[in-house]
Amino acid sequence: MRVFVVFGLLMQFSLLLQARTTEDYLGGEFTFDPSVPSPEQVLGYEVGDWHVRPDQILAYAKAVAAASPRVSLQVTGSTHEQRPLILLRITAPENQSRLEEIRQQHLADSEAGVLVLYQGYSIHGNEPSGSNAALPYLYYLAAAQDPWLEEVLKETVVLLDPSYNPDGLGRFAHWVNSNKSKNLVADRNNREQNEAWPRGRSNHYWFDLNRDWLLLQHPESQARIKQFHRWLPHLLTDHHEMGSDSTYFFQPGVPSRQNPLTSTQNFELTRDLARYHADALDAIGQRYFSEESFDDYYYGKGSTYPDINGSLGILFEQASSRSHLAETVNGLLPFQKTIVNQLTTSLSSLKGGWELRGQFKALQKSFYQEQNAKAKSFGYAGWIVDSDKDPARTRSMLDIFDQHKIEYFPVGETVKQDGHTYPAGESWFFPARQRQFGLLRAMMETRDTFEDETFYDVSTWTFPLAFNLPYAPLKRAPKKGTAKIVEFTEVSESAVAWAVPWHFETSAQFLQHMLKGTFAVKVATKPFHSTVNGKEKQFPRGTLVLNAGGKNGKRKEELRSLIEKHAQALKLPVYSLKSGLNRGIDLGSRNMRNLEAIKPLLLTDKPARSTE
């Protein structure tokens, strides 16, 4: 407990408005390895004096990894703005050389191996106290000469993700730092506290990354999920901020708003861990709440995704200072205080995770045993999904399932279910009997009744519906087969025109490539039949037609090469038409309409919302 007692001496209000060293944040009774730099030695200022930028986080992480034998740095990917995504792997020095062996042992037996903690910060870029708190926390883990910590790190791997959303954090840090006054202004009408549109919450493309743990549409999420499944942590923490007039929140949250697929054991262990956060916050005089707000339902959030993957996720919410100092109903809120609270619960997570490690390890082992039993009694063998004649769209969905480590196979027999025919080689089966049954069920189910109908925003996504693919549960698993290869006809040089179907997911990309090349593209507004390779083929309304003559005639070979290049890359069939005379409308028909490139209008700034 001595890690937390010292915080009580640091929480006097007068001190919070003064610069403090990292050692002050952590308490005076520790000594630190002098060869490991403190944050202020690298940043050039005390933590909390300014909002840290992503490049400064990276610089400090590199400096610590170079100096401390407890720390190694891994670059796991990059953001849309090409900022590195980093993961610091912290454990005893003797473990660093055998991290891969330790990881494999943990995956083979979660009870016999080490304790694995994944601690991440500020997925919403304008909720910065988490990322700023990650710096003194990293210093403690890397440099504190503390016998308790040294004992813990012998049997623990801490995966520290200091910034879930570097692009958003950078946007917000720039705003508050560039609008900071020498004499801090707490008035919430102050420019510093009213950041410019689109604000720093989201990533480069204004997407809320805390809704993307399931959808995996952005590189930040893809890199993070890859590391999550590489390590399967016992505990994952997710540090956020909320309205300035609140206090501090930690889970379990409202009991009736838990996803029913999450085990009762998970909820009870969350309650046990909450005691450690309460004790630590009590020690520094910080008020909090735990079971009267927030839900734990949507598996696409950072604090909930672990719950259906054999781990335990914890949400922390700190009242936001929004700047360096804010007026609130609870008095003045300095930025340093928000950092102290996030640091406190980072430490309490480490302490609670260690002391409850037997329960965490048992939870992970029993979770997968329970999933196997639930799959056996589920009542269905699994789900079948039809590719809807669009393997590219299906592949987009399957890529997400791959990242979630969900198993499936191509169907080797034609199946008829609920009036729909699922063709062999063009359909996929997702068996219930697999390790990831819980997550698979969450991604397939269409639950429409709830114990508590109050949601923060989302209950789930049903993935086949999201991709507009026919699907159904099956009582019997079909035979395994091989996926049918996409039909691709040679882009013939002698064709009078080339036809490309519109119903593929990648058809719009293909069209844009053609229009960017300033080629004339037409669309059939009525169906027609034409002869292809000696056989009559029907082309539905919406088919794209690129004529080899007319406007395109002088650049025919350039057009043909471009069609071949992009059709192959996008896995699109192309049909070479030998004549302009068809059954139905002809190629010269008025019902063949010219298409023009879309020039979208993007509305920005108020009253528009970037999330829309």
Side-chain angles (χ1 to χ4, degrees):
M1 285 298 295
R2 64 196 182 107
V3 175
F4 307 114
V5 172
V6 293
F7 280 106
L9 302 174
L10 301 174
M11 287 301 293
Q12 299 174 38
F13 176 71
S14 60
L15 289 179
L16 286 168
L17 295 181
Q18 300 172 11
R20 58 171 59 192
T21 67
T22 299
E23 292 187 16
D24 288 334
Y25 275 109
L26 290 164
E29 70 179 270
F30 292 121
T31 57
F32 295 88
D33 182 348
S35 67
V36 179
S38 65
E40 56 266 22
Q41 288 176 311
V42 175
L43 300 177
Y45 61 83
E46 311 292 350
V47 171
D49 279 3
W50 298 91
H51 283 245
V52 71
R53 304 188 310 266
D55 60 294
Q56 293 173 311
I57 293 175
L58 177 62
Y60 184 61
K62 286 181 176 179
V64 171
S68 174
R70 298 175 184 171
V71 181
S72 59
L73 173 65
Q74 179 182 8
V75 175
T76 62
S78 60
T79 69
H80 287 294
E81 295 178 14
Q82 297 305 301
R83 288 187 171 95
L85 297 165
I86 62 173
L87 194 65
L88 292 140
R89 302 172 299 187
I90 305 156
T91 186
E94 60 268 25
N95 292 341
Q96 283 291 342
S97 62
R98 46 188 293 267
L99 270 178
E100 181 59 22
E101 177 189 345
I102 290 171
R103 185 182 73 85
Q104 294 288 357
Q105 288 174 348
H106 160 64
L107 294 180
D109 188 345
S110 62
E111 281 192 300
V114 299
L115 175 70
V116 182
L117 273 60
Y118 193 122
Q119 295 182 265
Y121 301 86
S122 301
I123 200 165
H124 296 141
N126 60 0
E127 299 176 4
S129 58
S131 286
N132 283 266
L135 302 184
Y137 184 50
L138 172 58
Y139 183 56
Y140 168 74
L141 293 172
Q145 294 174 328
D146 175 10
W148 178 84
L149 176 63
E150 291 168 2
E151 177 192 352
V152 169
L153 291 181
K154 288 178 182 178
E155 298 294 333
T156 302
V157 174
V158 177
L159 304 171
L160 183 61
D161 192 332
S163 177
Y164 279 146
N165 177 11
D167 291 350
L169 183 72
R171 191 160 63 244
F172 181 71
H174 172 75
W175 177 265
V176 291
N177 288 336
S178 61
N179 287 290
K180 178 188 178 185
S181 300
K182 182 176 181 180
N183 298 305
L184 299 183
V185 180
D187 189 329
R188 283 157 73 171
N189 294 308
N190 179 33
R191 176 174 170 83
E192 185 186 354
Q193 295 194 42
N194 291 275
E195 57 181 311
W197 200 99
R199 307 169 70 87
R201 178 182 178 90
S202 54
N203 73 344
H204 174 81
Y205 282 108
W206 307 344
F207 195 89
D208 185 334
L209 291 175
N210 199 40
R211 306 300 183 273
D212 198 39
W213 289 71
L214 205 59
L215 310 177
L216 303 182
Q217 296 302 293
H218 293 269
E220 300 92 340
S221 309
Q222 293 163 6
R224 187 172 60 252
I225 288 298
K226 182 177 180 180
Q227 294 306 314
F228 178 92
H229 284 290
R230 270 184 54 79
W231 279 98
L232 278 182
H234 295 99
L235 170 65
L236 181 143
T237 64
D238 186 18
H239 293 255
H240 288 249
E241 290 183 0
M242 56 184 165
S244 302
D245 290 327
S246 195
T247 56
Y248 197 89
F249 168 82
F250 51 84
Q251 283 180 313
V254 180
S256 61
R257 298 182 195 169
Q258 309 292 313
N259 194 303
L261 299 182
T262 301
S263 70
T264 302
Q265 184 183 359
N266 182 292
F267 184 77
E268 292 305 321
L269 183 52
T270 303
R271 266 190 174 147
D272 292 341
L273 184 63
R275 186 72 263 164
Y276 288 83
H277 309 317
D279 288 346
L281 294 170
D282 284 344
I284 63 171
Q286 172 62 43
R287 299 284 71 86
Y288 51 81
F289 58 101
S290 182
E291 292 194 22
E292 59 188 271
S293 187
F294 295 99
D295 63 62
D296 202 20
Y297 205 100
Y298 174 47
Y299 290 126
K301 293 180 180 178
S303 59
T304 314
Y305 181 82
D307 297 341
I308 198 64
N309 284 279
S311 305
L312 191 146
I314 298 293
L315 170 67
F316 297 108
E317 295 274 356
Q318 161 65 45
S320 179
S321 67
R322 297 296 176 202
S323 57
H324 291 86
L325 183 66
E327 282 180 341
T328 78
V329 295
N330 298 311
L332 291 176
L333 178 61
F335 183 42
Q336 289 94 335
K337 183 178 180 180
T338 70
I339 296 171
V340 166
N341 291 342
Q342 299 281 31
L343 176 58
T344 299
T345 54
S346 296
L347 290 162
S348 63
S349 297
L350 177 63
K351 180 178 175 65
W354 174 251
E355 295 191 358
L356 299 173
R357 61 189 180 280
Q359 292 172 243
F360 277 99
K361 292 179 178 183
L363 172 69
Q364 190 163 96
K365 186 168 186 176
S366 65
F367 173 82
Y368 289 109
Q369 292 172 342
E370 290 171 4
Q371 292 305 311
N372 186 47
K374 288 179 179 179
K376 288 179 181 179
S377 61
F378 179 52
Y380 292 99
W383 294 265
I384 190 170
V385 178
D386 182 5
S387 65
D388 197 32
K389 304 297 182 183
D390 186 356
R393 179 160 31 114
T394 310
R395 185 69 259 167
S396 292
M397 188 184 81
L398 295 179
D399 284 344
I400 298 174
F401 282 84
D402 286 340
Q403 293 174 78
H404 290 302
K405 304 300 179 184
I406 290 173
E407 299 171 3
Y408 56 85
F409 59 81
V411 173
E413 60 178 304
T414 297
V415 175
K416 293 185 178 180
Q417 181 69 27
D418 300 332
H420 184 84
T421 299
Y422 295 85
E426 299 178 35
S427 304
W428 301 85
F429 185 71
F430 298 78
R433 297 282 293 274
Q434 62 171 285
R435 181 180 174 87
Q436 289 291 77
F437 168 67
L439 182 59
L440 171 61
R441 183 178 178 183
M443 296 170 73
M444 289 293 195
E445 72 174 6
T446 53
R447 188 184 301 272
D448 55 9
T449 58
F450 309 93
E451 178 185 352
D452 186 332
E453 294 185 350
T454 302
F455 288 101
Y456 193 75
D457 51 13
V458 182
S459 60
T460 191
W461 284 86
T462 306
F463 272 70
L465 297 181
F467 283 88
N468 197 28
L469 296 173
Y471 82 115
L474 295 182
K475 294 281 188 181
R476 179 187 66 83
K479 297 177 183 178
K480 291 183 180 181
T482 56
K484 184 178 178 181
I485 303 299
V486 178
E487 181 181 358
F488 184 84
T489 307
E490 179 187 0
V491 185
S492 172
E493 296 179 6
S494 61
V496 299
W498 299 280
V500 176
W502 179 248
H503 73 272
F504 283 75
E505 182 187 54
T506 53
S507 298
Q509 292 173 255
F510 174 83
L511 171 61
Q512 187 65 16
H513 284 302
M514 297 302 110
L515 294 176
K516 281 175 67 177
T518 67
F519 289 102
V521 184
K522 293 181 178 289
V523 59
T525 61
K526 291 184 177 181
F528 65 95
H529 292 72
S530 189
T531 300
V532 178
N533 291 335
K535 297 181 181 179
E536 186 176 274
K537 180 173 178 59
Q538 180 180 2
F539 292 92
R541 182 178 62 178
T543 299
L544 303 177
V545 176
L546 298 99
N547 287 304
K551 179 182 175 181
N552 297 332
K554 292 182 180 180
R555 301 167 63 197
K556 177 181 176 181
E557 180 52 34
E558 181 186 352
L559 171 60
R560 193 196 69 79
S561 295
L562 195 67
I563 292 173
E564 190 166 76
K565 171 186 173 182
H566 291 296
Q568 288 181 346
L570 297 171
K571 296 181 171 53
L572 279 172
V574 177
Y575 301 97
S576 299
L577 308 182
K578 300 296 185 182
S579 172
L581 183 65
N582 302 314
R583 188 158 62 87
I585 63 172
D586 297 319
L587 296 189
S589 168
R590 295 174 181 174
N591 291 298
M592 290 283 185
R593 306 277 182 87
N594 288 321
L595 289 171
E596 295 182 2
I598 294 173
K599 297 179 180 179
L601 174 67
L602 184 63
L603 299 177
T604 65
D605 220 325
K606 297 176 182 178
R609 297 180 62 184
S610 61
T611 52
E612 296 171 344

